[in-house]
Amino acid sequence: MIVLKFGGTSVANAQNISKTIAIIADKSKAKQLAVVVSAFSGVTDLLILAGKMASAKDKAYKGIVNQIEQKHKEAIDELIPLSEQSEIIDAINHDINHLKTLLDGCFLLGELSNRTADIVAGFGELLSSQIIAVALKQKVSDSAFKDSRELIKTNSNFGKAAVDFTITNTLISDYFSNNSHQVVLLPGFIASSYDGNTTTLGRGGSDYTAAIIAAAVGAEILEIWTDVNGMYTANPKSVKQAQPIETISYQEAMELSHFGAKVLYPPTIQPVLKDSIPIFIKNTFEPEAFGTLITDAPEASTNPIKGITHIDHIALLTLEGSGMVGVAGSSKRLFEVLSNENINVIFITQASSEHSICVGILSNDADKAKAAIDKAFEMEITQGKVYPCIVEKGLCIVALVGENMKNHQGISGKMFSTLGKNNVNIRAIAQGASERNISVVINEKDVKKALNTLHERFFEDNTKQLNLFVMGVGNVGEKFIDQINQQKKFLKENLKINVRVIALSNSRKMVFDEEGLNLKEWKETLNQGETANPKAFIERVKELNLRNSIFVDITANSDIAGIYDQFLSQNIAVVTCNKIACSSEYNHYKNLKNLSRKYNAPFLFETNVGAGLPIIDTLKHLIASGDKVNRINAVLSGSLNFIFNNFSEKYNFHDVVKEAGVQGFTEPDPKIDLSGVDVARKILILIRESGYQMEMEHIENNCFLPDECMKTNNNEDFFASLIKHENHFNQLLKEAQARDSRIKFVASFDNGKAAVGLQFIPKESPFYNLEGKDNIVEFYTDRYVDQPLIIKGAGAGAAVTASGIFADVIRIGNV
């Protein structure tokens, strides 16, 4: 015999019931079946709500009963021919009238006893099973209905009754040994006490019903049919990359179900474990999918972890004090108190000093538990030997589960380091001697990040998912997005990095998509987004709390540069081409670096100097290896180099500056480049990265622009002033020609002093042949004394700047 159980979603409506019946009919051709069914999806919740409303004198319970009645009669109309409806409608009317009578009584009395609550909650399975039994007979004529209350006997602990297996097994065995029907259909969840009152087996108890029957008849297999393809490596609602587990041991399945894997009711395994009856979890809506096989001999796996699961709404209770040290019975007293209050302890950890003991319970029980504990230890608390019980709410438990974890070193270390890198604070830790489960208590707001981070680490072939929040989609931003879209497949296949752009924002609009924006149509999506709001942008990023989050600033906005600390302090990495933050006050710059270290959030700004050139990265390696920078000479403005390389008698200064803007070599405000401010920022950043403390005002800026040009307030006036002062620029050109030199805007640092300004570069200088928009940097260090370390290449342009930003993102992915 095979025992099948179909859950609420499998019998949610007539369409789903038809699929369920098709599966039963197909399987009944080969084997005799016992089929257990749940209530229609959502009905048990409605019944419990109706009971509460009735006892609270809320007449709305009548509407809920009408809703339940309508739902079941609609199913009858769709599943059963009109000519055969009369008997089942009479049965349903009888049960609905009984339900109404009970609820009317609750309304009049203003109370709902546990006994009545069990009867009310059990109507869902009773109604559904009778309807499905009649519908099944249309397809499988040799089928029958049996009320589980006649077979499963329990004590009178209403709400979660304990089964009397001696009586129950005898009743079930006797019934099925005398049963000649090919299919017997039974309601799940409900049972009866010795005196005949309806009891229930706990929410999810239909699984338990099926397991009890399977064990009693010695079934070949127990099949649990649900709406997912078995047990998953993590909750697929929280972890999109979660995969079904094909085979798993009874012990592993118990751990996963106990810690929140809702596909299986935890007590289900116990009845079948003794006789090693396999459990198969299957999907009603994808019956061809393999599902999960639970057995005592699962297939060997190279991965010691079978799954990651969690329990929400946990509170930690901590009892501590010197009066517990060396005092026998403190733990016993604590657990007795909780047991007397009928409070289930989910998690336990105790310091080896015996100074404190910490337990995890459901948050709803926390206040009751604290009051009871403080009362039990009242004398010790009064004497100052023990502190009042400390309660922490808003927590959850995350657990790694795997039978083979005990044979692999470093699992705990990987778990803790993975969570730590993503700034998930661990409040408590527990690991049993079997090493089948490693559990940690964390803040509830971090649970999704924790699950995804751990799943990525243990199940996704070490593929690291990077979640990008991009602000600024101008020339550079557009190139950056195009490069991500182009390289996405390559990065995933070759570097094991999965890059998703979660948010985009410009000065007008912003858009978020937690699953990642479609980069092929990002412009259209952004145009339809909500109004841009930097404050709301920050809050949304924090609220999403995604693992490996990176804020990418591709603006030149000082306000945006001023919010990096809000990201770094939330363990959100910052990648920026915006030079303002790193060239701001030294204390602010150092604070950002400190926040980066403190919260393990990378702060990368390679493109601040030299666009895509590895200038800062090279400098960091020099310093890290113990070298010391003594002098720097550099041409750091690709835009100015482009301008002076193209400025000639043939092309006047104004036109060349205009062309530089068209090519994307200058900032939106070209005066930033031409004034020398941009170059001063860059040399300041290099000086600071070399280990020196310096402020912007300490850099001598020998500006070559006339005062009138500098005093303009907009680009139109600025360009007009360039035309007006054309002679000034022509004189510079003539002087350079007279000296047989070329004009370069040079930044220098030597002996603690820094300056930027125009220089006439002779032919023998390595700066002389610097073409186009190229940059060049010379580092004179303790190791590079006579011949400097030189870095040279394109230092401006949207594409190279975007590639530099992209490289910083990849650096984070490789950490």
Side-chain angles (χ1 to χ4, degrees):
M1 175 180 277
I2 295 176
V3 178
L4 282 66
K5 178 265 176 177
F6 291 89
T9 51
S10 299
V11 295
N13 49 49
Q15 182 182 359
N16 292 3
I17 293 170
S18 296
K19 292 178 180 178
T20 294
I21 290 173
I23 293 169
I24 296 170
D26 182 60
K27 286 190 171 287
S28 68
K29 295 173 184 176
K31 296 285 183 181
Q32 200 172 24
L33 307 179
V35 179
V36 176
V37 296
S38 296
F40 290 178
S41 182
V43 167
T44 304
D45 288 334
L46 289 174
L47 287 165
I48 292 171
L49 178 61
K52 290 179 179 177
M53 284 183 165
S55 62
K57 301 280 189 177
D58 185 345
K59 290 184 179 181
Y61 77 89
K62 294 184 177 181
I64 293 176
V65 174
N66 291 336
Q67 183 183 342
I68 293 169
E69 181 179 11
Q70 183 67 25
K71 186 180 184 75
H72 288 85
K73 289 188 174 177
E74 284 176 1
I76 292 172
D77 287 339
E78 294 182 52
L79 291 168
I80 301 168
L82 186 62
S83 60
E84 299 180 32
Q85 287 184 8
S86 107
E87 188 174 340
I88 183 62
I89 287 177
D90 286 345
I92 297 303
N93 284 338
H94 175 271
D95 288 339
I96 291 291
N97 288 334
H98 185 194
L99 173 63
K100 289 178 178 177
T101 300
L102 287 170
L103 292 174
D104 288 344
C106 293
F107 181 83
L108 291 171
L109 293 172
E111 67 176 21
L112 178 67
S113 69
N114 290 338
R115 174 179 164 181
T116 304
D118 261 11
I119 299 173
V120 170
F123 272 104
E125 274 72 12
L126 197 58
L127 293 168
S128 69
S129 60
Q130 292 178 91
I131 293 170
I132 296 168
V134 175
L136 176 63
K137 212 163 184 63
Q138 316 302 312
K139 295 288 184 181
V140 182
S141 59
D142 189 13
S143 61
F145 172 79
K146 182 65 175 176
D147 191 335
S148 301
R149 293 176 294 183
E150 298 174 14
L151 301 178
I152 301 176
K153 294 298 176 178
T154 72
N155 64 12
S156 296
N157 184 13
F158 298 103
K160 196 174 183 181
V163 176
D164 184 328
F165 281 98
T166 302
I167 298 174
T168 296
N169 288 343
T170 300
L171 290 171
I172 293 172
S173 179
D174 288 349
Y175 172 77
F176 280 99
S177 63
N178 295 313
N179 167 61
S180 60
H181 295 290
Q182 192 67 13
V183 179
V184 176
L185 192 132
L186 309 97
F189 184 50
I190 55 175
S192 66
S193 62
Y194 304 121
D195 53 1
N197 288 308
T198 297
T199 57
T200 60
L201 304 177
R203 292 303 300 269
S206 292
D207 287 355
Y208 194 30
T209 302
I212 292 167
I213 294 169
V217 301
E220 292 177 36
I221 193 166
L222 166 61
E223 295 185 0
I224 307 289
W225 289 80
T226 181
D227 58 353
V228 292
N229 292 331
M231 300 188 88
Y232 276 69
T233 50
N235 184 344
K237 292 180 180 178
S238 299
V239 181
K240 301 301 180 184
Q241 290 77 28
Q243 297 295 322
I245 305 167
E246 289 200 353
T247 59
I248 189 171
S249 72
Y250 292 114
Q251 291 76 15
E252 289 169 328
M254 277 194 286
E255 293 281 358
L256 285 174
S257 60
H258 175 70
F259 277 86
K262 295 180 176 60
V263 71
L264 187 68
Y265 182 53
T268 302
I269 296 169
Q270 202 60 48
V272 298
L273 178 60
K274 178 183 175 184
D275 297 320
S276 297
I277 298 171
I279 303 174
F280 220 153
I281 300 175
K282 300 279 287 180
N283 189 344
T284 306
F285 310 103
E286 288 185 48
E288 69 284 353
F290 183 79
T292 297
L293 178 62
I294 304 171
T295 174
D296 56 2
E299 290 181 9
S301 172
T302 56
N303 190 345
I305 310 298
K306 274 294 173 73
I308 305 164
T309 186
H310 75 287
I311 305 176
D312 288 323
H313 312 305
I314 294 295
L316 275 185
L317 306 179
T318 302
L319 187 67
E320 62 180 356
S322 58
M324 295 173 62
V325 179
V327 178
S330 295
S331 299
K332 175 179 178 291
R333 289 173 63 195
L334 173 63
F335 292 119
E336 267 186 348
V337 169
L338 296 173
S339 176
N340 292 337
E341 294 294 330
N342 201 26
I343 295 172
N344 183 38
V345 176
I346 302 168
F347 178 100
I348 306 169
T349 183
Q350 183 170 12
S352 59
S353 66
E354 303 179 28
H355 183 263
S356 68
I357 184 167
C358 180
V359 298
I361 63 173
L362 291 175
S363 288
N364 289 341
D365 294 327
D367 294 336
K368 180 171 69 170
K370 174 178 169 54
I373 292 168
D374 286 348
K375 184 177 180 180
F377 287 86
E378 186 175 8
M379 181 179 295
E380 289 90 340
I381 292 171
T382 303
Q383 294 172 349
K385 293 180 178 180
V386 173
Y387 298 111
C389 178
I390 300 168
V391 177
E392 297 175 79
K393 296 182 181 180
L395 304 173
C396 73
I397 298 173
V398 172
L400 288 188
V401 174
E403 189 74 39
N404 293 322
M405 290 197 301
K406 58 181 175 288
N407 299 320
H408 289 75
Q409 290 75 35
I411 299 294
S412 299
K414 289 177 183 176
M415 181 185 192
F416 303 150
S417 64
T418 299
L419 293 175
K421 285 178 181 177
N422 276 273
N423 205 36
V424 177
N425 186 37
I426 297 173
R427 292 291 301 108
I429 301 166
Q431 181 173 3
S434 68
E435 298 185 36
R436 191 181 293 128
N437 177 315
I438 305 172
S439 302
V440 296
V441 178
I442 64 172
N443 197 303
E444 212 163 42
K445 71 179 179 63
D446 290 326
V447 64
K448 188 173 183 179
K449 181 198 282 189
L451 292 173
N452 278 275
T453 299
L454 292 171
H455 195 273
E456 182 179 86
R457 179 67 182 84
F458 290 105
F459 289 102
E460 296 174 36
D461 195 23
N462 285 328
T463 297
K464 191 171 187 177
Q465 182 170 287
L466 304 181
N467 297 299
L468 273 54
F469 301 85
V470 181
M471 191 168 281
V473 288
N475 289 338
V476 177
E478 183 173 346
K479 294 289 185 185
F480 174 66
I481 296 167
D482 289 345
Q483 288 174 11
I484 291 175
N485 192 37
Q486 177 186 325
Q487 290 298 104
K488 193 174 177 71
K489 184 178 179 183
F490 174 86
L491 292 175
K492 195 166 186 178
E493 292 178 355
N494 294 276
L495 299 182
K496 302 298 181 185
I497 297 174
N498 181 26
V499 180
R500 301 190 313 172
V501 177
I502 305 299
L504 290 172
S505 178
N506 57 23
S507 59
R508 297 174 294 102
K509 296 283 188 178
M510 66 181 189
V511 62
F512 283 78
D513 187 337
E514 189 176 349
E515 301 305 316
L517 292 162
N518 183 347
L519 299 186
K520 292 181 180 178
E521 51 188 45
W522 67 268
K523 290 184 180 179
E524 296 82 356
T525 305
L526 182 59
N527 286 336
Q528 295 170 10
E530 58 190 292
T531 303
N533 183 326
K535 186 176 179 181
F537 187 95
I538 295 169
E539 290 307 312
R540 187 72 183 278
V541 175
K542 292 179 182 177
E543 179 186 320
L544 286 172
N545 195 25
L546 299 178
R547 70 194 188 282
N548 306 323
S549 291
I550 305 173
F551 173 65
V552 184
D553 179 13
I554 317 180
T555 74
N557 188 302
S558 58
D559 291 336
I560 304 303
I563 61 175
Y564 296 168
D565 57 339
Q566 297 186 51
F567 291 111
L568 294 172
S569 61
Q570 295 294 318
N571 183 239
I572 298 167
V574 173
V575 169
T576 180
C577 62
N578 187 341
K579 293 173 280 292
I580 295 174
C582 289
S583 60
S584 61
E585 291 183 3
Y586 182 79
N587 287 339
H588 179 63
Y589 158 81
K590 285 298 292 182
N591 182 51
L592 294 178
K593 302 278 278 190
N594 291 336
L595 287 173
S596 172
R597 284 189 290 270
K598 180 178 179 180
Y599 293 100
N600 195 32
F603 176 39
L604 301 181
F605 43 90
E606 185 65 65
T607 49
N608 276 197
V609 182
L613 293 176
I615 296 172
I616 293 176
D617 192 52
T618 302
L619 177 55
K620 285 180 177 178
H621 287 306
L622 283 175
I623 302 303
S625 68
D627 204 354
K628 180 184 178 184
V629 175
N630 301 310
R631 184 156 58 99
I632 304 172
N633 288 324
V635 172
L636 295 173
S637 174
S639 53
L640 284 173
N641 202 43
F642 174 88
I643 289 167
F644 284 111
N645 280 338
N646 288 279
F647 176 37
S648 63
E649 293 92 341
K650 188 175 180 181
Y651 299 105
N652 66 42
F653 192 76
H654 166 274
D655 292 346
V656 174
V657 174
K658 274 276 191 184
E659 181 61 23
V662 172
Q663 296 283 346
F665 299 151
T666 65
E667 299 285 350
D669 178 3
K671 191 164 59 176
I672 294 173
D673 295 282
L674 272 70
S675 67
V677 170
D678 189 59
V679 174
R681 286 173 176 162
K682 292 176 180 179
I683 191 66
L684 178 62
I685 292 169
L686 292 183
I687 292 166
R688 288 175 171 178
E689 289 296 297
S690 298
Y692 296 92
Q693 182 172 337
M694 183 174 283
E695 300 289 358
M696 189 72 169
E697 56 267 26
H698 297 152
I699 299 174
E700 183 182 346
N701 186 349
N702 300 306
C703 182
F704 67 90
L705 290 176
D707 286 344
E708 187 177 342
C709 298
M710 288 295 296
K711 291 177 181 177
T712 56
N713 296 317
N714 55 63
N715 284 358
E716 185 180 350
D717 291 344
F718 177 70
F719 281 111
S721 71
L722 295 185
I723 296 173
K724 181 177 179 181
H725 291 277
E726 185 175 353
N727 286 337
H728 169 76
F729 303 112
N730 288 339
Q731 281 298 119
L732 293 173
L733 182 60
K734 286 177 183 178
E735 186 174 351
Q737 291 170 340
R739 296 189 184 191
D740 198 19
S741 300
R742 300 181 75 175
I743 303 173
K744 302 292 179 186
F745 197 89
V746 179
S748 61
F749 171 71
D750 188 12
N751 197 27
K753 295 183 179 181
V756 298
L758 284 186
Q759 292 185 19
F760 297 105
I761 305 299
K763 288 182 177 180
E764 59 271 18
S765 170
F767 290 13
Y768 183 86
N769 291 314
L770 200 62
E771 300 297 336
K773 58 185 182 297
D774 285 359
N775 280 190
I776 187 170
V777 180
E778 294 179 333
F779 289 117
Y780 289 87
T781 73
D782 285 353
R783 295 174 189 157
Y784 295 90
V785 181
D786 299 320
Q787 294 294 324
L789 172 62
I790 297 176
I791 302 170
K792 178 182 176 182
V800 293
T801 303
S803 69
I805 297 168
F806 199 178
D808 273 349
V809 169
I810 294 170
R811 282 189 185 93
I812 294 173
N814 286 327
V815 171

